[in-house]
Amino acid sequence: MSNELYNMIGRHTDGVFEGIAIGGDTFACTTLAETVLRFQQIPQVKMIVVLGELGGEDEYAVCDLLSSGQVTKPVCAWVSGTCATVFKTEVQFGHAGARSGEDRTSAAVKTKALKDAGAHCPTSFDTFGELIEEVFTTICGGVSPVSGASPKPLEGFPTAREASQRLFELKIRKGTNIISTISDDRGDEPKYCGVPISEVVANHAQLGQVISLLWFKKTMPSWATKFLELCIILTADHGPCVSGAHNTIIAARAGKDLVSALCSGLLTIGPRFGGAIDEAGRTWYNGLNNNVAPFDLVESMKKKGVPISGIGHRVKSVHNPDKRVQLLKEYAAKEFPDTSYLNYALEVERITTQKGASLILNVDGCIGALFLDCVVQSKQFTTREVDELLEIGTLNGLFVLARTIGLIGHSYDQKRLKQSLYRHPWEDVMYANDEENQQ
Protein backbone atom coordinates (compact mmCIF):
# COMPACT_ATOMS: atom_id res chain seq x y z
CA MET A 1 0.00 0.00 0.00
CA SER A 2 2.77 2.44 0.95
CA ASN A 3 4.81 1.71 -2.19
CA GLU A 4 1.78 2.18 -4.41
CA LEU A 5 0.97 5.50 -2.75
CA TYR A 6 4.57 6.77 -3.02
CA ASN A 7 4.57 5.86 -6.72
CA MET A 8 1.26 7.70 -7.18
CA ILE A 9 2.52 10.84 -5.42
CA GLY A 10 5.77 10.75 -7.39
CA ARG A 11 3.88 10.71 -10.69
CA HIS A 12 1.50 13.53 -9.79
CA THR A 13 3.61 15.92 -7.68
CA ASP A 14 7.21 17.02 -7.28
CA GLY A 15 7.94 14.00 -5.06
CA VAL A 16 7.69 12.55 -1.57
CA PHE A 17 9.39 14.46 1.24
CA GLU A 18 8.78 11.76 3.86
CA GLY A 19 6.67 8.64 3.97
CA ILE A 20 5.77 6.56 7.00
CA ALA A 21 3.63 3.46 7.50
CA ILE A 22 1.71 3.29 10.78
CA GLY A 23 -0.67 0.76 12.30
CA GLY A 24 0.65 -2.68 11.48
CA ASP A 25 3.71 -2.55 13.73
CA THR A 26 3.93 -4.61 16.92
CA PHE A 27 5.10 -1.54 18.79
CA ALA A 28 4.03 1.71 17.08
CA CYS A 29 6.26 4.56 18.24
CA THR A 30 3.84 7.18 16.93
CA THR A 31 0.28 7.59 15.70
CA LEU A 32 -1.36 8.79 12.51
CA ALA A 33 -2.50 12.03 14.18
CA GLU A 34 0.96 12.73 15.63
CA THR A 35 2.56 12.26 12.22
CA VAL A 36 0.05 14.52 10.45
CA LEU A 37 0.58 17.19 13.11
CA ARG A 38 4.36 16.87 12.70
CA PHE A 39 4.07 17.29 8.91
CA GLN A 40 1.99 20.43 9.57
CA GLN A 41 5.03 21.97 11.30
CA ILE A 42 7.62 21.05 8.65
CA PRO A 43 8.03 23.98 6.19
CA GLN A 44 9.17 21.78 3.31
CA VAL A 45 5.92 19.77 3.42
CA LYS A 46 3.31 21.62 1.35
CA MET A 47 0.51 19.02 1.41
CA ILE A 48 -0.26 15.83 3.31
CA VAL A 49 -1.54 12.57 1.82
CA VAL A 50 -3.22 10.04 4.10
CA LEU A 51 -4.05 6.49 3.06
CA GLY A 52 -6.07 4.80 5.79
CA GLU A 53 -7.78 1.44 5.97
CA LEU A 54 -10.91 -0.05 7.41
CA GLY A 55 -10.89 -1.03 11.05
CA GLY A 56 -9.74 1.10 13.96
CA GLU A 57 -10.43 4.78 14.59
CA ASP A 58 -7.08 6.49 13.94
CA GLU A 59 -8.53 8.50 11.06
CA TYR A 60 -11.00 10.21 13.39
CA ALA A 61 -8.10 11.79 15.27
CA VAL A 62 -7.03 13.38 11.97
CA CYS A 63 -10.60 14.62 11.53
CA ASP A 64 -10.34 16.35 14.91
CA LEU A 65 -7.07 18.05 13.88
CA LEU A 66 -8.69 19.35 10.70
CA SER A 67 -11.89 20.47 12.42
CA SER A 68 -10.03 22.26 15.21
CA GLY A 69 -7.74 24.09 12.77
CA GLN A 70 -4.55 22.52 14.11
CA VAL A 71 -3.83 21.27 10.59
CA THR A 72 -4.22 23.88 7.87
CA LYS A 73 -2.20 22.34 5.06
CA PRO A 74 -4.17 20.57 2.32
CA VAL A 75 -4.87 16.95 3.21
CA CYS A 76 -5.74 14.37 0.55
CA ALA A 77 -7.20 11.25 2.12
CA TRP A 78 -8.65 7.90 1.18
CA VAL A 79 -9.60 4.94 3.37
CA SER A 80 -9.09 1.61 1.60
CA GLY A 81 -11.33 -1.39 2.10
CA THR A 82 -14.58 -0.19 0.56
CA CYS A 83 -15.00 -3.65 -1.01
CA ALA A 84 -15.77 -5.05 2.49
CA THR A 85 -19.40 -4.05 2.01
CA VAL A 86 -19.92 -6.72 -0.66
CA PHE A 87 -19.16 -9.50 1.82
CA LYS A 88 -21.98 -10.90 3.94
CA THR A 89 -19.76 -11.60 6.95
CA GLU A 90 -16.90 -9.81 8.69
CA VAL A 91 -13.66 -10.09 6.70
CA GLN A 92 -10.01 -9.85 7.76
CA PHE A 93 -7.81 -7.64 5.57
CA GLY A 94 -4.04 -7.77 6.13
CA HIS A 95 -2.99 -7.36 9.77
CA ALA A 96 -5.24 -7.70 12.81
CA GLY A 97 -6.42 -4.07 12.81
CA ALA A 98 -7.65 -4.16 9.21
CA ARG A 99 -10.91 -5.90 9.93
CA SER A 100 -14.38 -5.10 8.64
CA GLY A 101 -16.75 -4.69 11.55
CA GLU A 102 -19.06 -1.95 12.81
CA ASP A 103 -20.11 0.91 10.50
CA ARG A 104 -18.05 3.53 12.34
CA THR A 105 -14.81 1.76 11.39
CA SER A 106 -15.81 1.02 7.80
CA ALA A 107 -13.86 2.55 4.93
CA ALA A 108 -16.79 4.50 3.48
CA VAL A 109 -17.84 6.06 6.80
CA LYS A 110 -14.31 7.12 7.72
CA THR A 111 -13.68 8.57 4.26
CA LYS A 112 -16.86 10.64 4.56
CA ALA A 113 -15.81 11.83 8.03
CA LEU A 114 -12.45 12.99 6.65
CA LYS A 115 -14.16 14.82 3.80
CA ASP A 116 -16.63 16.48 6.17
CA ALA A 117 -13.69 17.62 8.31
CA GLY A 118 -12.08 19.36 5.35
CA ALA A 119 -9.88 16.73 3.70
CA HIS A 120 -9.86 16.28 -0.07
CA CYS A 121 -11.25 12.80 -0.79
CA PRO A 122 -11.76 11.09 -4.19
CA THR A 123 -14.81 9.09 -5.11
CA SER A 124 -12.64 5.99 -5.59
CA PHE A 125 -9.02 4.95 -5.31
CA ASP A 126 -8.78 5.01 -9.13
CA THR A 127 -9.02 8.82 -9.11
CA PHE A 128 -6.85 9.36 -6.02
CA GLY A 129 -3.78 10.24 -8.10
CA GLU A 130 -5.67 12.78 -10.19
CA LEU A 131 -7.03 14.42 -7.03
CA ILE A 132 -3.53 14.62 -5.53
CA GLU A 133 -2.27 16.32 -8.71
CA GLU A 134 -5.20 18.76 -8.71
CA VAL A 135 -4.63 19.79 -5.10
CA PHE A 136 -0.89 20.04 -5.63
CA THR A 137 -1.31 22.25 -8.72
CA THR A 138 -4.20 24.51 -7.73
CA ILE A 139 -3.81 24.88 -3.98
CA CYS A 140 -0.10 24.32 -3.47
CA GLY A 141 0.81 26.15 -6.68
CA GLY A 142 2.93 23.33 -8.03
CA VAL A 143 5.87 24.33 -5.84
CA SER A 144 9.39 23.24 -6.74
CA PRO A 145 11.39 20.89 -4.51
CA VAL A 146 13.11 22.59 -1.56
CA SER A 147 16.86 22.14 -1.56
CA GLY A 148 18.98 21.83 1.51
CA ALA A 149 19.49 19.50 4.43
CA SER A 150 16.80 17.61 6.26
CA PRO A 151 14.59 19.73 8.53
CA LYS A 152 15.62 20.38 12.09
CA PRO A 153 13.96 18.27 14.81
CA LEU A 154 10.63 19.69 15.90
CA GLU A 155 9.93 20.46 19.51
CA GLY A 156 7.62 17.90 21.08
CA PHE A 157 8.37 15.18 18.50
CA PRO A 158 11.05 12.46 18.79
CA THR A 159 13.98 12.41 16.40
CA ALA A 160 14.76 9.24 14.45
CA ARG A 161 17.41 8.38 17.03
CA GLU A 162 14.99 8.94 19.90
CA ALA A 163 12.32 6.84 18.20
CA SER A 164 14.84 4.04 17.73
CA GLN A 165 15.77 4.27 21.40
CA ARG A 166 12.11 4.02 22.40
CA LEU A 167 11.79 0.88 20.31
CA PHE A 168 14.96 -0.55 21.83
CA GLU A 169 13.65 0.08 25.33
CA LEU A 170 10.57 -1.95 24.45
CA LYS A 171 13.02 -4.79 23.69
CA ILE A 172 11.21 -5.53 20.46
CA ARG A 173 8.76 -7.86 22.20
CA LYS A 174 7.37 -7.71 25.68
CA GLY A 175 8.19 -10.33 28.27
CA THR A 176 5.87 -13.31 28.54
CA ASN A 177 4.33 -14.93 31.59
CA ILE A 178 4.36 -18.43 30.12
CA ILE A 179 6.75 -20.26 27.80
CA SER A 180 5.49 -23.34 25.98
CA THR A 181 7.52 -25.58 23.67
CA ILE A 182 5.20 -28.57 23.27
CA SER A 183 2.07 -27.20 21.61
CA ASP A 184 0.67 -24.22 19.74
CA ASP A 185 -3.02 -23.33 19.44
CA ARG A 186 -2.51 -20.39 17.08
CA GLY A 187 -3.38 -20.65 13.41
CA ASP A 188 -5.94 -22.86 11.72
CA GLU A 189 -5.35 -25.91 13.94
CA PRO A 190 -3.44 -26.89 17.08
CA LYS A 191 0.02 -28.38 16.74
CA TYR A 192 1.68 -31.00 18.91
CA CYS A 193 5.39 -30.17 19.02
CA GLY A 194 5.11 -28.49 15.64
CA VAL A 195 3.05 -31.27 14.06
CA PRO A 196 -0.50 -30.22 13.00
CA ILE A 197 -3.16 -32.44 14.54
CA SER A 198 -4.53 -33.19 11.07
CA GLU A 199 -1.14 -34.74 10.24
CA VAL A 200 -1.15 -36.66 13.53
CA VAL A 201 -4.57 -38.09 12.65
CA ALA A 202 -3.61 -38.74 9.01
CA ASN A 203 -0.65 -40.80 10.21
CA HIS A 204 -3.02 -42.94 12.34
CA ALA A 205 -1.12 -41.96 15.47
CA GLN A 206 -1.83 -43.96 18.61
CA LEU A 207 -1.75 -42.71 22.21
CA GLY A 208 1.92 -43.60 22.58
CA GLN A 209 2.87 -41.37 19.66
CA VAL A 210 0.94 -38.44 21.16
CA ILE A 211 2.77 -38.99 24.46
CA SER A 212 6.05 -39.06 22.54
CA LEU A 213 5.31 -35.64 21.02
CA LEU A 214 3.88 -33.89 24.07
CA TRP A 215 6.07 -35.42 26.78
CA PHE A 216 9.39 -35.91 25.04
CA LYS A 217 9.11 -33.66 21.96
CA LYS A 218 10.25 -36.61 19.88
CA THR A 219 8.85 -38.91 17.21
CA MET A 220 9.84 -42.21 18.79
CA PRO A 221 9.83 -45.52 16.88
CA SER A 222 6.66 -47.59 16.96
CA TRP A 223 8.11 -50.33 19.21
CA ALA A 224 8.87 -47.63 21.81
CA THR A 225 5.46 -45.91 21.65
CA LYS A 226 3.71 -49.28 21.84
CA PHE A 227 5.72 -50.00 24.99
CA LEU A 228 4.34 -46.77 26.52
CA GLU A 229 0.82 -47.89 25.63
CA LEU A 230 1.47 -51.34 27.12
CA CYS A 231 2.56 -49.74 30.40
CA ILE A 232 -0.69 -47.76 30.51
CA ILE A 233 -2.79 -50.83 29.75
CA LEU A 234 -1.09 -52.97 32.40
CA THR A 235 -1.20 -50.37 35.20
CA ALA A 236 -4.58 -48.74 34.52
CA ASP A 237 -6.12 -50.44 37.54
CA HIS A 238 -5.21 -52.88 40.30
CA GLY A 239 -8.50 -53.46 42.04
CA PRO A 240 -10.51 -51.50 44.62
CA CYS A 241 -8.30 -52.24 47.61
CA VAL A 242 -5.19 -50.24 46.73
CA SER A 243 -4.81 -46.76 48.22
CA GLY A 244 -5.73 -44.71 45.16
CA ALA A 245 -8.85 -46.66 44.26
CA HIS A 246 -9.92 -46.83 47.90
CA ASN A 247 -9.76 -43.05 48.28
CA THR A 248 -11.59 -42.45 45.01
CA ILE A 249 -14.35 -44.86 46.02
CA ILE A 250 -14.82 -43.21 49.41
CA ALA A 251 -14.90 -39.73 47.86
CA ALA A 252 -17.41 -40.81 45.19
CA ARG A 253 -19.64 -42.38 47.84
CA ALA A 254 -19.47 -39.09 49.76
CA GLY A 255 -21.17 -37.44 46.79
CA LYS A 256 -18.08 -35.72 45.45
CA ASP A 257 -17.85 -34.90 41.75
CA LEU A 258 -15.60 -36.79 39.34
CA VAL A 259 -12.66 -34.39 39.52
CA SER A 260 -12.69 -34.34 43.33
CA ALA A 261 -12.92 -38.13 43.57
CA LEU A 262 -10.15 -38.54 41.00
CA CYS A 263 -7.85 -36.10 42.77
CA SER A 264 -8.50 -37.86 46.07
CA GLY A 265 -7.09 -41.04 44.57
CA LEU A 266 -4.24 -39.40 42.66
CA LEU A 267 -2.98 -37.66 45.79
CA THR A 268 -2.09 -41.03 47.31
CA ILE A 269 0.48 -41.68 44.59
CA GLY A 270 3.94 -41.35 46.06
CA PRO A 271 6.94 -43.36 47.27
CA ARG A 272 4.71 -46.03 48.84
CA PHE A 273 2.08 -46.26 46.11
CA GLY A 274 2.92 -46.10 42.43
CA GLY A 275 5.62 -43.50 42.88
CA ALA A 276 8.42 -46.05 43.07
CA ILE A 277 8.93 -46.15 39.29
CA ASP A 278 11.09 -43.02 39.29
CA GLU A 279 13.23 -44.18 42.17
CA ALA A 280 13.57 -47.66 40.67
CA GLY A 281 14.64 -46.14 37.36
CA ARG A 282 17.29 -44.05 39.10
CA THR A 283 18.55 -47.11 40.97
CA TRP A 284 19.03 -49.17 37.78
CA TYR A 285 20.42 -46.17 35.88
CA ASN A 286 23.03 -45.26 38.47
CA GLY A 287 23.92 -48.85 39.21
CA LEU A 288 24.58 -49.91 35.63
CA ASN A 289 26.19 -46.63 34.48
CA ASN A 290 28.51 -46.55 37.50
CA ASN A 291 29.45 -50.23 37.07
CA VAL A 292 28.06 -51.20 40.50
CA ALA A 293 27.73 -54.96 40.65
CA PRO A 294 24.17 -56.13 41.47
CA PHE A 295 25.45 -57.95 44.58
CA ASP A 296 27.23 -54.79 45.80
CA LEU A 297 24.06 -52.75 45.18
CA VAL A 298 21.99 -55.14 47.29
CA GLU A 299 24.56 -55.17 50.09
CA SER A 300 24.95 -51.38 50.15
CA MET A 301 21.19 -50.88 50.39
CA LYS A 302 21.03 -53.50 53.14
CA LYS A 303 23.68 -51.69 55.17
CA LYS A 304 21.79 -48.43 54.79
CA GLY A 305 18.59 -50.13 55.89
CA VAL A 306 16.85 -48.84 52.76
CA PRO A 307 14.57 -51.06 50.65
CA ILE A 308 15.35 -51.26 46.95
CA SER A 309 12.68 -49.48 44.97
CA GLY A 310 11.16 -51.77 42.34
CA ILE A 311 11.86 -54.91 44.38
CA GLY A 312 9.24 -56.69 46.48
CA HIS A 313 5.49 -57.29 46.44
CA ARG A 314 2.93 -57.72 49.20
CA VAL A 315 0.99 -60.43 47.34
CA LYS A 316 3.06 -61.76 44.46
CA SER A 317 6.19 -63.90 44.80
CA VAL A 318 8.48 -66.28 42.96
CA HIS A 319 5.77 -68.92 43.30
CA ASN A 320 2.97 -66.51 42.31
CA PRO A 321 4.57 -64.21 39.72
CA ASP A 322 3.04 -60.92 38.59
CA LYS A 323 1.51 -61.48 35.16
CA ARG A 324 2.07 -57.81 34.27
CA VAL A 325 5.82 -58.19 34.70
CA GLN A 326 5.80 -61.34 32.59
CA LEU A 327 3.99 -59.53 29.75
CA LEU A 328 6.41 -56.62 29.86
CA LYS A 329 9.43 -58.92 29.73
CA GLU A 330 7.95 -60.88 26.84
CA TYR A 331 7.31 -57.71 24.82
CA ALA A 332 10.81 -56.39 25.50
CA ALA A 333 12.43 -59.68 24.51
CA LYS A 334 10.56 -59.60 21.20
CA GLU A 335 10.68 -55.89 20.29
CA PHE A 336 13.52 -54.11 22.12
CA PRO A 337 16.94 -53.90 20.42
CA ASP A 338 18.61 -54.32 23.81
CA THR A 339 17.54 -54.69 27.46
CA SER A 340 20.67 -53.90 29.45
CA TYR A 341 18.84 -52.12 32.26
CA LEU A 342 16.21 -54.86 32.57
CA ASN A 343 18.96 -57.49 32.68
CA TYR A 344 20.63 -55.55 35.48
CA ALA A 345 17.35 -55.37 37.43
CA LEU A 346 16.73 -59.09 36.91
CA GLU A 347 20.19 -59.87 38.27
CA VAL A 348 19.33 -57.85 41.37
CA GLU A 349 16.08 -59.85 41.62
CA ARG A 350 18.02 -63.12 41.41
CA ILE A 351 20.00 -62.06 44.48
CA THR A 352 17.08 -60.68 46.50
CA THR A 353 14.81 -63.69 45.93
CA GLN A 354 17.45 -65.86 47.57
CA LYS A 355 16.67 -63.92 50.72
CA GLY A 356 12.88 -63.93 50.32
CA ALA A 357 10.41 -65.29 47.76
CA SER A 358 8.43 -62.05 47.75
CA LEU A 359 11.46 -59.90 46.91
CA ILE A 360 10.73 -60.07 43.20
CA LEU A 361 11.07 -57.43 40.52
CA ASN A 362 7.68 -55.75 40.71
CA VAL A 363 5.87 -53.88 37.95
CA ASP A 364 7.32 -50.52 39.06
CA GLY A 365 10.85 -51.85 38.88
CA CYS A 366 10.23 -53.55 35.54
CA ILE A 367 8.74 -50.41 33.94
CA GLY A 368 11.58 -48.31 35.35
CA ALA A 369 14.21 -50.56 33.79
CA LEU A 370 12.47 -50.97 30.45
CA PHE A 371 11.74 -47.26 30.17
CA LEU A 372 15.48 -46.63 30.36
CA ASP A 373 16.10 -49.27 27.72
CA CYS A 374 13.37 -47.68 25.63
CA VAL A 375 14.73 -44.13 25.59
CA VAL A 376 18.36 -45.20 25.27
CA GLN A 377 17.75 -47.70 22.45
CA SER A 378 15.51 -45.26 20.56
CA LYS A 379 18.74 -43.32 19.84
CA GLN A 380 16.85 -40.03 20.18
CA PHE A 381 17.90 -38.93 23.67
CA THR A 382 21.22 -37.55 24.82
CA THR A 383 22.65 -38.58 28.16
CA ARG A 384 21.71 -35.18 29.52
CA GLU A 385 18.12 -35.61 28.33
CA VAL A 386 17.86 -39.03 29.99
CA ASP A 387 19.19 -37.52 33.23
CA GLU A 388 16.57 -34.80 32.96
CA LEU A 389 13.75 -37.31 32.39
CA LEU A 390 14.66 -39.04 35.65
CA GLU A 391 15.05 -35.73 37.46
CA ILE A 392 11.63 -34.30 36.55
CA GLY A 393 9.66 -37.45 37.42
CA THR A 394 8.76 -38.65 33.93
CA LEU A 395 8.44 -42.30 34.93
CA ASN A 396 5.79 -41.57 37.54
CA GLY A 397 3.90 -39.74 34.81
CA LEU A 398 3.19 -43.07 33.16
CA PHE A 399 1.64 -44.41 36.36
CA VAL A 400 -0.37 -41.23 36.96
CA LEU A 401 -1.73 -41.28 33.40
CA ALA A 402 -2.53 -44.99 33.53
CA ARG A 403 -4.09 -45.05 36.97
CA THR A 404 -6.28 -42.02 36.10
CA ILE A 405 -8.18 -44.34 33.76
CA GLY A 406 -8.89 -46.83 36.53
CA LEU A 407 -9.75 -44.21 39.14
CA ILE A 408 -12.29 -42.60 36.81
CA GLY A 409 -13.76 -46.06 36.34
CA HIS A 410 -14.08 -46.59 40.10
CA SER A 411 -15.84 -43.23 40.49
CA TYR A 412 -18.32 -44.06 37.73
CA ASP A 413 -18.82 -47.54 39.20
CA GLN A 414 -19.84 -46.17 42.59
CA LYS A 415 -22.19 -43.62 41.00
CA ARG A 416 -23.87 -46.30 38.89
CA LEU A 417 -24.28 -48.55 41.92
CA LYS A 418 -25.71 -45.60 43.89
CA GLN A 419 -23.51 -46.52 46.83
CA SER A 420 -24.18 -44.64 50.06
CA LEU A 421 -21.72 -42.77 52.27
CA TYR A 422 -18.94 -45.08 53.42
CA ARG A 423 -18.24 -45.56 57.12
CA HIS A 424 -15.40 -47.81 58.19
CA PRO A 425 -16.52 -50.66 60.49
CA TRP A 426 -15.53 -50.44 64.16
CA GLU A 427 -14.29 -54.00 64.30
CA ASP A 428 -11.58 -53.12 61.78
CA VAL A 429 -10.13 -50.41 64.06
CA MET A 430 -8.01 -51.02 67.13
CA TYR A 431 -8.97 -48.29 69.60
CA ALA A 432 -5.92 -47.70 71.75
CA ASN A 433 -7.03 -44.77 73.89
CA ASP A 434 -5.53 -43.86 77.23
CA GLU A 435 -8.36 -45.29 79.39
CA GLU A 436 -8.04 -48.75 77.89
CA ASN A 437 -4.26 -48.65 78.23
CA GLN A 438 -4.61 -47.85 81.95
CA GLN A 439 -6.96 -50.80 82.49
Side-chain angles (χ1 to χ4, degrees):
M1 291 171 63
S2 297
N3 288 337
E4 178 64 22
L5 185 60
Y6 301 154
N7 178 51
M8 184 181 295
I9 296 173
R11 286 187 288 108
H12 293 280
T13 70
D14 62 352
V16 177
F17 179 82
E18 179 183 333
I20 181 170
I22 302 171
D25 304 296
T26 303
F27 296 101
C29 291
T30 185
T31 66
L32 179 59
E34 287 178 347
T35 303
V36 169
L37 191 59
R38 182 167 62 84
F39 287 169
Q40 168 69 26
Q41 300 180 37
I42 298 177
Q44 293 93 327
V45 175
K46 300 304 179 182
M47 63 180 288
I48 303 168
V49 179
V50 173
L51 179 61
E53 61 184 355
L54 79 169
E57 300 188 358
D58 289 353
E59 291 82 1
Y60 288 108
V62 177
C63 294
D64 294 338
L65 293 177
L66 289 166
S67 299
S68 63
Q70 296 182 66
V71 173
T72 58
K73 292 180 180 180
V75 175
C76 292
W78 175 255
V79 180
S80 60
T82 54
C83 64
T85 56
V86 304
F87 296 99
K88 296 181 179 179
T89 58
E90 186 178 11
V91 179
Q92 177 80 47
F93 292 83
H95 62 79
R99 189 183 187 91
S100 62
E102 58 183 11
D103 289 342
R104 177 176 169 78
T105 60
S106 68
V109 172
K110 290 199 291 185
T111 298
K112 184 178 183 303
L114 285 164
K115 186 174 182 178
D116 292 343
H120 301 272
C121 302
T123 55
S124 73
F125 186 75
D126 291 338
T127 61
F128 198 21
E130 297 173 3
L131 176 66
I132 292 172
E133 183 174 354
E134 179 184 344
V135 172
F136 175 73
T137 303
T138 60
I139 301 179
C140 299
V143 294
S144 301
V146 177
S147 60
S150 299
K152 296 180 180 180
L154 298 175
E155 185 178 351
F157 295 94
T159 63
R161 180 183 293 275
E162 290 170 341
S164 298
Q165 181 63 29
R166 285 174 60 181
L167 186 61
F168 175 77
E169 291 172 354
L170 288 171
K171 298 180 180 178
I172 306 305
R173 65 172 290 176
K174 66 176 184 178
T176 58
N177 295 317
I178 294 176
I179 299 175
S180 176
T181 64
I182 65 169
S183 62
D184 190 341
D185 59 336
R186 299 168 299 176
D188 295 334
E189 59 178 315
K191 295 180 180 178
Y192 293 164
C193 196
V195 181
I197 56 172
S198 58
E199 183 178 330
V200 174
V201 174
N203 292 334
H204 305 288
Q206 302 296 319
L207 178 60
Q209 292 164 301
V210 175
I211 294 174
S212 174
L213 289 172
L214 293 179
W215 286 18
F216 312 126
K217 301 196 293 184
K218 313 277 187 184
T219 303
M220 298 175 70
S222 60
W223 62 264
T225 58
K226 289 180 180 177
F227 162 71
L228 299 177
E229 293 171 6
L230 181 61
C231 291
I232 293 171
I233 292 171
L234 295 179
T235 59
D237 192 59
H238 202 207
C241 298
V242 295
S243 302
H246 187 72
N247 267 26
T248 295
I249 290 171
I250 292 175
R253 291 180 60 166
K256 303 299 289 185
D257 60 275
L258 172 63
V259 175
S260 299
L262 172 61
C263 289
S264 177
L266 289 176
L267 288 173
T268 64
I269 296 176
R272 298 182 180 182
F273 172 61
I277 305 179
D278 268 321
E279 185 59 36
R282 282 190 285 266
T283 299
W284 313 141
Y285 187 69
N286 294 329
L288 183 60
N289 291 354
N290 294 325
N291 296 315
V292 178
F295 179 82
D296 293 337
L297 173 67
V298 174
E299 289 301 308
S300 66
M301 299 295 276
K302 179 181 178 182
K303 290 179 181 179
K304 295 176 183 178
V306 178
I308 303 174
S309 293
I311 293 292
H313 201 285
R314 297 191 63 179
V315 178
K316 301 297 181 180
S317 67
V318 174
H319 311 294
N320 179 29
D322 191 332
K323 187 64 176 179
R324 298 172 299 175
V325 174
Q326 289 181 320
L327 291 171
L328 286 167
K329 291 193 294 185
E330 290 172 4
Y331 179 82
K334 181 180 178 182
E335 303 292 344
F336 277 42
D338 182 79
T339 56
S340 297
Y341 289 99
L342 176 62
N343 295 340
Y344 184 86
L346 290 174
E347 183 59 23
V348 171
E349 179 194 47
R350 186 186 66 80
I351 297 170
T352 57
T353 51
Q354 293 176 2
K355 305 177 183 296
S358 64
L359 298 178
I360 58 173
L361 179 67
N362 58 38
V363 69
D364 291 349
C366 188
I367 290 177
L370 285 178
F371 179 84
L372 292 171
D373 286 321
C374 175
V375 296
V376 171
Q377 295 304 318
S378 71
K379 308 298 184 184
Q380 295 187 354
F381 295 82
T382 64
T383 300
R384 181 177 179 180
E385 287 176 326
V386 176
D387 292 340
E388 188 176 58
L389 290 177
L390 292 173
E391 180 183 344
I392 64 177
T394 306
L395 292 170
N396 281 354
L398 283 173
F399 185 82
V400 170
L401 176 60
R403 196 49 59 94
T404 295
I405 300 172
L407 297 181
I408 290 175
H410 282 294
S411 178
Y412 288 160
D413 189 43
Q414 297 304 305
K415 298 291 186 181
R416 281 194 299 265
L417 294 172
K418 296 180 173 55
Q419 293 292 285
S420 60
L421 179 66
Y422 177 82
R423 180 182 175 86
H424 203 70
W426 288 343
E427 59 269 21
D428 194 38
V429 178
M430 183 180 74
Y431 292 92
N433 54 57
D434 292 339
E435 294 181 1
E436 291 183 353
N437 289 337
Q438 292 174 359
Q439 293 178 357

